[in-house]
Amino acid sequence: MPNIGIVGAGIAGLHLGLLLRRHDVPVTIYTDKSPAQLANGRLLNSVAHHAPTIERERELGVHFWPVEEYGYACHHHYVGGEQPLSFRGDFARASSAIDYRLYLPRLAEAYEERGGKLDVRLLQAEDLEPLAEAHDLLVVAAGRGAFSALFPRREDASPYDRPQRRLCVGLYRGIAESQPKGVTISVSPGHGELLEIPLYSAEGFVTALLFENIPGGDLEVLADLSYADDPKAFERTVLDKLATHHPQTFERVDPARFELTGPLDLLQGALTPTVRQDYAKLPNGKYALAIGDVHTVVDPVIGQGANSASHSAWVTGQEILSDYGFDELFCRRVAAARADVVLGAANWTNLMLAPPPEHLLELFGAMARHQHIADEFTDNFDYPDRQWQILATAERTREYLARRTGSAA
Amino acid sequence: MPNIGIVGAGIAGLHLGLLLRRHDVPVTIYTDKSPAQLANGRLLNSVAHHAPTIERERELGVHFWPVEEYGYACHHHYVGGEQPLSFRGDFARASSAIDYRLYLPRLAEAYEERGGKLDVRLLQAEDLEPLAEAHDLLVVAAGRGAFSALFPRREDASPYDRPQRRLCVGLYRGIAESQPKGVTISVSPGHGELLEIPLYSAEGFVTALLFENIPGGDLEVLADLSYADDPKAFERTVLDKLATHHPQTFERVDPARFELTGPLDLLQGALTPTVRQDYAKLPNGKYALAIGDVHTVVDPVIGQGANSASHSAWVTGQEILSDYGFDELFCRRVAAARADVVLGAANWTNLMLAPPPEHLLELFGAMARHQHIADEFTDNFDYPDRQWQILATAERTREYLARRTGSAA
């Protein structure tokens, strides 16, 4: 029976640890923050889990917030401009968003109940090799911190060298749910996107507003504005920007009740989308495998990161359970098995961050006119590999549209 | 609807063409020999089809020789030496061997009945670009001829620069079937292997003897000896070599009846195992995809070539049917989807051609002692990817054996 070490206790580390524990594989997860610290800390993200991730939660016995009760099943799209577009796309299977300050500690608890070891300590890069000695395989699932240098950036899959959006995500009261309940994806051309997400937090259902702000645009201020300095001014600015740029969400706001749910329920920052090498050979001859953010960090603009990380964890776990060694062949098998979904998510996300090419606008236009195309685009949030097959080139998008609308390409 | 051109009418070209025709995709197969020429020509090979290939034949509606009647379900192993090993491995699902001079013309007929075009002409390398102009995608499935230069050899996957065996394969009368009916795989250490295959040819069930002779060994003469010059001397030499090197087959020979079934039922030669690039960009910007022998030519020592080619055709067909373009992304998707099986077959075959490493001998020893290990090795002829996971390194083989025999690794 192999003994697996996992660095990082986010969704990738926990899903992998839980999968291995279901098969009685000895696992230790190393993390620099305890579950209690996470639970009482700052908002971590506003991520939604899509159906394949929820399916994995069910298989792991950790689907603690039943999607039937906590989820939603559509995307409301709003594309601003001179002739705004507004349309809806439906998922075949529901998604849901649970505050990771509830989600991760609950999964860590389940992991420990099932015999997984959780070792809370601050790790540096030089700690990796002793850890590798103690395990048959080291899986690095910690996106932040000292470990990314182990996995060189893949230039061929990393088109950006700086953040393309400056982010401001917070949890709010005073916004009525969209009908039917769903995520609203609102685009303010030249300024950025808003993802409005029905999210379940410690205080119940709230609204996450994830502002994806283009540097230099009118919305960038949201990434810099200090809530602590003047909460009311912060909230007023958010409301003003909503009114100007994201009217479909603004019209559901009750200004008298609108407020951030708490000072820790806000996260501002930015990240550089980066795809790194799948694995590294350590000086002692063993291999370290990268999963989750340390392998592929994507901008949250289309909510693919956590789902991609969970997929990667799942593929890794299946290979650990079925393979006979943790050598380079093992690492290459994992890399090959996840590439389609994980690189699909990264490539698609990176396309959405660029100034929209003509074929993307054509697709949006078709979505507004054809319900089945809007539904398929929405459902492909579950299948980023399929989405990328459609979006990778203008020729592909046009061929796809021709087939779906019955016209010649 | 795309229009696909396929160069080559072997198993890869025909399986792909038949799959596409089932979905009404326009296809033209280009070949330099007509089905009638093949039917009346020299023996092409002595290949067995394993269960996944037979499953594809069923799905294509071209399983014309029902495996229940024409097949076999085991391998008889004989490893010579001071302490010979003799054991049997059973398949979960049967395999079969049909003379390709029956098989390919019958499939070509089905292909044409179903609307596929067959264009018989001698093609040169310079013909490819005009063909590419006439089709949305060109698939090169012709292993011999002028096209391999388009796809550079992959050094990382091609360990040999010359043939490792000199081959002599013929169809014979006068050999009683093994019991239960199966393929006999006989190893004469230092001299080579014999595959004795129950094969169905135009005259009914016969025995194919595929001598895989190590250059410089006592059996190499079989690759050079002329049947035409002196048929009786040829057959006497074959019998002598059988008696000396492959006694488990020799003991079922009736010398009075033993003879080649006909002067064309013999093929002598050699090939250099080579893995080539998956695809090439043509000067006109279109892509040519390699499948079958032009992509991966393997020595026939473990009968993987045709099955690998059929798998590759199937993967290619599925991608053609589901994708939206025939660009580099398409080619990379095909390459990734088939790599596990196709490179597994190539790597495993190349290992079997080398002087046997210690871990392979340990596996053979375990097969002789443990029926379930012999059966799994046999069944993995259907799954070369799984076989390679076991055989890729000594550590893997030992871990596998430890798990299967319940001892610590």
Side-chain angles (χ1 to χ4, degrees):
Chain A
M1 188 69 84
N3 182 312
I4 309 296
I6 302 172
V7 179
I11 183 173
L14 286 169
H15 278 197
L16 175 57
L18 284 158
L19 175 57
L20 295 175
R21 287 309 305 150
R22 276 181 89 79
H23 297 268
D24 296 321
V25 176
V27 189
T28 305
I29 296 182
Y30 301 90
T31 177
D32 58 1
K33 285 213 181 84
S34 73
Q37 285 174 308
L38 287 184
N40 298 308
R42 182 169 290 281
L43 181 69
L44 291 160
N45 57 39
S46 60
V47 72
H49 286 185
H50 298 125
T53 301
I54 289 169
E55 191 59 37
R56 288 186 286 268
E57 292 170 356
R58 286 206 185 92
E59 286 200 40
L60 293 172
V62 296
H63 187 55
F64 296 119
W65 293 270
V67 69
E68 300 76 12
E69 186 181 345
Y70 293 87
Y72 60 87
C74 71
H75 283 170
H76 302 276
H77 284 271
Y78 177 83
V79 183
E82 291 188 16
Q83 294 188 300
L85 292 176
S86 177
F87 55 89
R88 184 180 116 204
D90 289 343
F91 280 101
R93 296 184 292 164
S95 302
S96 73
I98 309 294
D99 191 326
Y100 263 35
R101 294 169 297 180
L102 302 178
Y103 184 85
L104 295 179
R106 183 68 190 88
L107 263 64
E109 183 189 343
Y111 164 77
E112 289 195 283
E113 283 165 5
R114 297 169 193 183
K117 283 192 214 161
L118 195 66
D119 188 340
V120 180
R121 55 161 125 161
L122 195 64
L123 286 174
Q124 308 293 344
E126 59 266 30
D127 299 320
L128 273 190
E129 194 155 348
L131 288 190
E133 282 298 331
H135 300 283
D136 294 299
L137 173 70
L138 203 61
V139 180
V140 182
R144 298 179 189 87
F147 308 113
S148 59
L150 194 61
F151 307 102
R153 183 170 179 272
R154 271 184 57 183
E155 298 297 332
D156 63 316
S158 307
Y160 302 120
D161 60 2
R162 68 195 70 183
Q164 300 301 298
R165 295 291 185 274
R166 298 197 58 218
L167 310 176
C168 174
V169 56
L171 307 184
Y172 295 87
R173 300 185 191 102
I175 306 177
E177 278 177 0
S178 54
Q179 292 300 331
K181 186 172 177 175
V183 162
T184 295
I185 302 175
S186 173
V187 180
S188 177
H191 301 285
E193 301 80 10
L194 169 70
L195 274 77
E196 177 214 323
I197 303 157
L199 182 141
Y200 187 78
S201 79
E203 78 164 57
F205 287 105
V206 297
T207 303
L209 296 182
L210 165 57
F211 288 93
E212 293 263 337
N213 311 303
I214 294 176
D218 181 49
L219 288 158
E220 186 178 15
V221 60
L222 295 176
D224 297 312
L225 201 61
S226 167
Y227 176 82
D229 285 355
D230 188 343
K232 288 299 155 202
F234 178 91
E235 288 162 355
R236 259 198 321 274
T237 306
V238 170
L239 264 193
D240 283 351
K241 297 301 184 191
L242 269 186
T244 307
H245 292 279
H246 301 298
Q248 198 161 300
T249 294
F250 179 74
E251 68 192 19
R252 282 180 281 106
V253 173
D254 174 357
R257 292 185 52 235
F258 182 78
E259 61 181 349
L260 200 71
T261 56
L264 288 176
D265 299 342
L266 179 71
L267 185 66
Q268 292 163 303
L271 51 82
T272 301
T274 307
V275 175
R276 297 182 173 280
Q277 296 291 345
D278 291 276
Y279 59 89
K281 190 173 186 176
L282 299 172
N284 67 2
K286 290 193 183 182
Y287 284 83
L289 181 75
I291 68 172
D293 280 356
V294 73
H295 175 234
T296 324
V297 61
V298 296
D299 188 282
V301 67
I302 46 171
Q304 292 295 313
N307 296 285
S308 173
S310 167
H311 175 82
S312 194
W314 196 260
V315 166
T316 300
Q318 299 296 347
E319 292 290 339
I320 288 172
L321 294 171
S322 66
D323 209 354
Y324 302 105
F326 302 113
D327 49 12
E328 187 164 16
L329 175 57
F330 166 83
C331 293
R332 278 196 268 115
R333 287 179 59 84
V334 171
R338 73 183 173 189
D340 211 15
V341 166
V342 171
L343 296 181
N347 290 330
W348 172 28
T349 300
N350 288 334
L351 177 70
M352 301 306 275
L353 298 173
E358 189 60 29
H359 67 280
L360 191 58
L361 300 177
E362 289 170 26
L363 179 64
F364 283 157
M367 286 164 71
R369 292 191 305 277
H370 301 281
Q371 190 59 47
H372 65 286
I373 293 178
D375 292 346
E376 188 170 353
F377 182 83
T378 302
D379 212 49
N380 279 347
F381 275 67
D382 295 3
Y383 309 106
D385 49 333
R386 297 183 198 166
Q387 198 84 301
W388 183 242
Q389 281 185 268
I390 295 169
L391 289 172
T393 66
E395 291 74 17
R396 285 175 167 267
T397 302
R398 285 166 193 154
E399 173 65 20
Y400 163 79
L401 289 175
R403 287 193 210 176
R404 289 297 188 274
T405 60
S407 60
Chain B
M1 188 68 85
N3 183 314
I4 309 297
I6 301 172
V7 179
I11 182 173
L14 285 169
H15 279 198
L16 175 57
L18 284 158
L19 175 56
L20 295 175
R21 286 309 305 150
R22 277 180 88 79
H23 297 268
D24 297 322
V25 176
V27 189
T28 305
I29 295 181
Y30 302 89
T31 177
D32 58 1
K33 285 213 180 83
S34 72
Q37 285 174 307
L38 287 183
N40 298 308
R42 181 169 291 279
L43 180 68
L44 291 159
N45 57 40
S46 61
V47 73
H49 286 185
H50 299 125
T53 300
I54 289 169
E55 192 58 37
R56 288 186 285 269
E57 292 170 356
R58 285 205 186 92
E59 286 200 41
L60 292 173
V62 295
H63 188 54
F64 297 118
W65 293 269
V67 69
E68 300 76 12
E69 185 181 346
Y70 293 87
Y72 60 88
C74 70
H75 283 170
H76 301 277
H77 285 271
Y78 176 83
V79 183
E82 290 188 15
Q83 293 188 300
L85 292 177
S86 178
F87 54 90
R88 184 181 115 203
D90 288 343
F91 280 101
R93 297 185 291 165
S95 303
S96 74
I98 308 295
D99 191 323
Y100 263 35
R101 294 170 296 182
L102 301 178
Y103 185 84
L104 295 179
R106 183 68 189 86
L107 263 63
E109 182 188 345
Y111 163 78
E112 290 196 281
E113 282 165 6
R114 297 169 193 183
K117 283 191 215 163
L118 194 67
D119 187 339
V120 181
R121 55 162 128 159
L122 195 62
L123 285 175
Q124 308 292 343
E126 61 266 28
D127 298 320
L128 273 190
E129 196 155 344
L131 288 190
E133 281 298 331
H135 299 285
D136 294 299
L137 173 71
L138 203 61
V139 179
V140 181
R144 300 182 188 86
F147 309 112
S148 59
L150 193 61
F151 307 101
R153 184 171 179 271
R154 273 184 55 183
E155 297 297 331
D156 64 314
S158 307
Y160 302 120
D161 60 3
R162 69 195 70 182
Q164 300 300 299
R165 296 290 185 274
R166 299 198 57 219
L167 311 176
C168 173
V169 55
L171 307 184
Y172 295 88
R173 301 185 191 101
I175 305 177
E177 278 177 0
S178 53
Q179 291 301 328
K181 186 173 177 175
V183 162
T184 294
I185 302 176
S186 174
V187 180
S188 177
H191 301 286
E193 301 79 10
L194 169 71
L195 274 76
E196 177 213 324
I197 303 156
L199 182 141
Y200 187 79
S201 79
E203 77 163 58
F205 287 105
V206 298
T207 303
L209 296 180
L210 165 57
F211 288 93
E212 291 263 337
N213 310 303
I214 295 177
D218 181 49
L219 288 159
E220 186 178 14
V221 59
L222 295 177
D224 297 312
L225 202 61
S226 168
Y227 176 83
D229 284 357
D230 188 343
K232 288 297 155 201
F234 178 92
E235 288 161 354
R236 259 199 322 273
T237 305
V238 170
L239 263 192
D240 283 352
K241 297 302 182 188
L242 268 186
T244 307
H245 292 278
H246 302 297
Q248 197 161 302
T249 294
F250 178 74
E251 66 191 19
R252 282 181 281 104
V253 173
D254 174 356
R257 290 187 52 239
F258 182 78
E259 61 181 348
L260 199 72
T261 56
L264 287 177
D265 298 342
L266 179 70
L267 185 66
Q268 291 162 303
L271 52 83
T272 301
T274 306
V275 175
R276 297 182 173 278
Q277 297 291 346
D278 290 276
Y279 58 90
K281 189 172 186 176
L282 300 172
N284 66 3
K286 291 194 182 182
Y287 284 84
L289 181 76
I291 69 173
D293 280 356
V294 73
H295 175 235
T296 325
V297 61
V298 295
D299 188 282
V301 67
I302 46 172
Q304 291 295 313
N307 296 284
S308 173
S310 167
H311 175 82
S312 193
W314 196 260
V315 166
T316 300
Q318 299 296 345
E319 292 290 338
I320 288 171
L321 294 171
S322 66
D323 208 353
Y324 302 106
F326 302 111
D327 49 14
E328 187 163 16
L329 175 57
F330 165 84
C331 293
R332 278 196 268 114
R333 288 180 58 85
V334 171
R338 73 183 173 188
D340 211 16
V341 166
V342 171
L343 296 181
N347 289 330
W348 171 29
T349 301
N350 287 334
L351 177 70
M352 302 305 275
L353 297 174
E358 189 60 29
H359 67 280
L360 191 59
L361 299 176
E362 290 170 25
L363 179 64
F364 283 156
M367 287 164 70
R369 292 190 305 277
H370 300 281
Q371 189 59 46
H372 65 286
I373 293 178
D375 290 346
E376 189 171 350
F377 182 84
T378 303
D379 212 47
N380 280 347
F381 276 67
D382 294 4
Y383 309 107
D385 49 334
R386 299 182 196 166
Q387 198 83 302
W388 183 241
Q389 280 185 266
I390 295 170
L391 290 172
T393 66
E395 292 74 17
R396 285 175 167 266
T397 302
R398 285 164 193 153
E399 172 65 22
Y400 164 79
L401 289 174
R403 288 193 210 176
R404 289 297 188 276
T405 61
S407 60

